[in-house]
Amino acid sequence: METHASLLPTTLIVLRHSPHCGRWLAEGLDLALVSAVFGQEVKLLFMGQGIFGLIPNQHDAVGQPLSTSAVLDTVGMYGINELLVPKSDLISLGIDQNDLMVDVSVIDDAKVRAYLANAGHVLTF
């Protein structure tokens, strides 16, 4: 069966909020999965505080687990194969790429601008 996903514009979902800032990150990831189910080509760009959603074993103020690992473990099954992180944000936050719970593509600022410019839709959470 031929897929028409390549004919649809790319949806770039930019995740800028940490998992500690309400439901922004979770809602962005939910939208990514729903979009992919409906045939959209989806890319995830974790920027700034959103990168904290990629760090395992986090807890909220009352000790409840804050984990996006269950969703991040399934994105590949939905055809979401590009998880992007700006190198400059990793450096400014003092996070090593090896500390992240999933494989990501670390990109420079020029690539970030290119992804933003070339996406058919950009949604920020």
Side-chain angles (χ1 to χ4, degrees), residues 42-71:
V42 177
K43 299 176 189 314
L44 296 173
L45 174 59
F46 292 83
M47 296 183 74
Q49 299 292 310
I51 296 171
F52 289 116
L54 298 170
I55 297 177
N57 302 319
Q58 297 186 69
H59 295 84
D60 65 14
V62 294
Q64 295 298 315
L66 281 175
S67 179
T68 52
S69 64
V71 174

Side-chain angles (χ1 to χ4, degrees), residues 7-95:
L7 301 176
L8 297 173
T10 299
T11 300
L12 179 66
I13 297 179
V14 181
L15 303 160
R16 298 184 60 95
H17 289 86
S18 83
H20 303 91
C21 293
R23 296 228 1 108
W24 287 99
L25 182 67
E27 288 178 8
L29 290 172
D30 289 346
L31 178 65
L33 297 180
V34 169
S35 298
V37 164
F38 286 100
Q40 290 286 314
E41 180 182 348
V42 177
K43 299 176 189 314
L44 296 173
L45 174 59
F46 292 83
M47 296 183 74
Q49 299 292 310
I51 296 171
F52 289 116
L54 298 170
I55 297 177
N57 302 319
Q58 297 186 69
H59 295 84
D60 65 14
V62 294
Q64 295 298 315
L66 281 175
S67 179
T68 52
S69 64
V71 174
L72 292 171
D73 286 343
T74 64
V75 295
M77 294 184 329
Y78 288 81
I80 302 171
N81 299 314
E82 288 194 61
L83 282 69
L84 311 162
V85 175
K87 182 176 184 174
S88 59
D89 288 356
L90 285 175
I91 292 169
S92 69
L93 293 169
I95 298 172

